[in-house]
Amino acid sequence: MRRAFYATSVPVSSGTRTPIARGTSVTGSAARIAPGKAPTSQPSTSGIDHWSIVLFYSMGIGVMAVSILLFLVLMAVWLYGQFVWTFTRWDLANVRLTPYKLLAYLILGATFAAGTGVGLWCFSGAAWRQRQSAARGSSSAAGRKVR
């Protein structure tokens, strides 16, 4: 009789960061509690709680910014092919792109860095903290002027 391979050494997790023993239920009533220990409620983490996740999501925004830039370049090439080349037959045969290679890399890198920065600003919460502190500052300043 041939046995199937089962992942027996992989710890089971209930979604929190503490592994639970096999054979216990996370949501059902069959969860085992060790004798003498009172069940403790785990603090729930809301939102993103680690800087590497924030950086990873921010880099995703940077990649989306680069893909939007490349889509805009594709649209510019399409417009050139539809209108300029169709009417003038100017095919840019004398234009050499080698001198602009460094500029193209700089634009791509700056777009990625700017997109990552905007993503970091949004995902870290700095965008919303700044608005809240500005609103508090203006309301307290208005309160001082009235006195």
Side-chain angles (χ1 to χ4, degrees), residues 27-94:
T27 58
S29 62
R32 296 182 206 155
I33 299 173
K37 287 188 177 180
T40 59
S41 63
Q42 301 254 341
S44 65
T45 57
S46 61
I48 302 171
D49 61 347
H50 199 269
W51 65 268
S52 62
I53 297 171
V54 173
L55 187 62
F56 183 71
Y57 287 167
S58 301
M59 289 173 67
I61 299 297
V63 168
M64 286 192 321
V66 168
S67 55
I68 288 171
L69 175 71
L70 293 177
F71 178 74
L72 291 175
V73 168
L74 183 67
M75 293 306 297
V77 169
W78 176 78
L79 285 172
Y80 175 82
Q82 287 294 317
F83 298 109
V84 176
W85 185 79
T86 304
F87 296 130
T88 64
R89 301 287 183 204
W90 183 45
D91 59 358
L92 300 173
N94 298 332

Side-chain angles (χ1 to χ4, degrees), residues 132-147:
Q132 290 173 354
S133 64
R136 280 189 222 130
S138 65
S139 64
S140 64
R144 281 186 243 141
K145 291 180 183 176
V146 172
R147 291 181 183 174

